[in-house]
Amino acid sequence: MRETRVLVVEDDRELGDLLVRLFHGAGHVAELARDGQAGLHLALTRDYDLLIIDRGLPAIEGLDLLARLRRRSVQAPALILTALGTVADRVNGLDSGAADYVVKPFEVDELLARVRALLRRPHDPSPKLPIGTAEFDLITRTVTGDGVRATLSGRESDLLRLLAENPARVFSRAEIVAKVFPEAANGALVDTYVHYLRRKLGTSVVTTVRGSGYRLGTL
């Protein structure tokens, strides 16, 4: 079995070295970049199974780095590891395309468990989903077709992907919160992001099933 490759982008020298040793001890091949520019170069020139990215990086800030990688179709899942831990910070990080967000200081066992969970996610060799007659590119987070071309935020993309992968299923607000917005206190955030999708893609892209929840519509 091929060893998993992890890129750590962390400017704190002690923590960066610690993370590399930690991932090596867990059986991964880990490489370290100490600023955003070095991280960008490595991620664009080598293949990684997982990206661990700090936010407060020199040269290129962490979320800007992740956005640049997504625009260049780098699809490895990313875990943001940062001291910025407010709800707004976490939402911003996930909206930027991160698959997970861990706040410093962290427990080593929890971090490794989150890494294992991300690495278990299946790789989709054809990362596009149909939305009616349109097409949703999971890498670039763009929806194209029928005169529509729109780029989605990370959380918009997560919500549309959930619906598009299960086009006949109706999801309750509670189910969507659990799968897409686990930090949300209630279902109000679901309604907000449904509104965002409809504003970008048209009112019919998400169908409201009265008394039950939401399912995929059409463009």
Side-chain angles (χ1 to χ4, degrees):
M1 178 182 293
R2 184 179 71 87
E3 292 180 298
T4 54
R5 297 177 58 85
V6 179
L7 173 62
V8 177
V9 191
E10 171 61 65
D11 66 314
D12 183 295
R13 185 168 297 276
E14 183 176 349
L15 179 57
D17 291 341
L18 171 65
L19 289 170
V20 168
R21 292 196 303 270
L22 183 66
F23 292 130
H24 282 167
H28 308 303
V29 176
E31 294 183 286
L32 177 63
R34 298 196 185 277
D35 61 57
Q37 188 64 50
L40 180 67
H41 173 73
L42 287 175
L44 291 177
T45 57
R46 304 180 187 180
D47 292 327
Y48 295 99
D49 301 288
L50 180 66
L51 311 174
I52 307 292
I53 301 176
D54 183 27
R55 284 195 59 174
L57 295 169
I60 303 174
E61 193 272 341
L63 296 190
D64 184 19
L65 168 62
L66 181 56
R68 295 188 192 197
L69 293 175
R70 294 298 184 243
R71 288 196 295 269
R72 298 286 291 273
S73 297
V74 174
Q75 59 181 304
L79 184 149
I80 299 295
L81 187 62
T82 177
L84 301 175
T86 69
V87 171
D89 289 325
R90 294 197 297 271
V91 168
N92 194 22
L94 294 167
D95 274 347
S96 297
D100 203 351
Y101 195 101
V102 174
V103 178
K104 303 172 184 176
F106 55 88
E107 294 292 335
V108 168
D109 288 344
E110 180 185 2
L111 177 63
L112 289 177
R114 288 174 180 261
V115 166
R116 289 193 297 271
L118 291 176
L119 292 173
R120 283 197 301 268
R121 291 186 181 181
H123 172 68
D124 187 350
S126 179
K128 295 183 179 180
L129 294 170
I131 310 292
T133 58
E135 189 173 70
F136 176 29
D137 189 314
L138 301 177
I139 304 304
T140 61
R141 303 202 308 261
T142 56
V143 178
T144 307
D146 289 346
V148 172
R149 180 176 177 82
T151 300
L152 306 182
S153 73
R155 304 307 288 282
E156 292 167 350
S157 177
D158 290 344
L159 175 55
L160 185 60
R161 178 173 184 166
L162 174 67
L163 300 178
E165 288 180 336
N166 307 272
R169 180 177 170 184
V170 177
F171 287 91
S172 69
R173 286 176 176 82
E175 288 176 314
I176 296 174
V177 165
K179 294 177 181 295
V180 181
F181 307 103
E183 79 288 348
N186 54 54
L189 196 61
V190 175
D191 299 334
T192 298
Y193 274 87
V194 167
H195 169 72
Y196 291 162
L197 286 177
R198 287 171 171 167
R199 185 175 62 187
K200 285 187 175 181
L201 301 175
T203 57
S204 63
V205 68
V206 178
T207 298
T208 301
V209 180
R210 193 173 300 278
S212 298
Y214 297 109
R215 65 172 174 82
L216 184 69
T218 61
L219 291 186

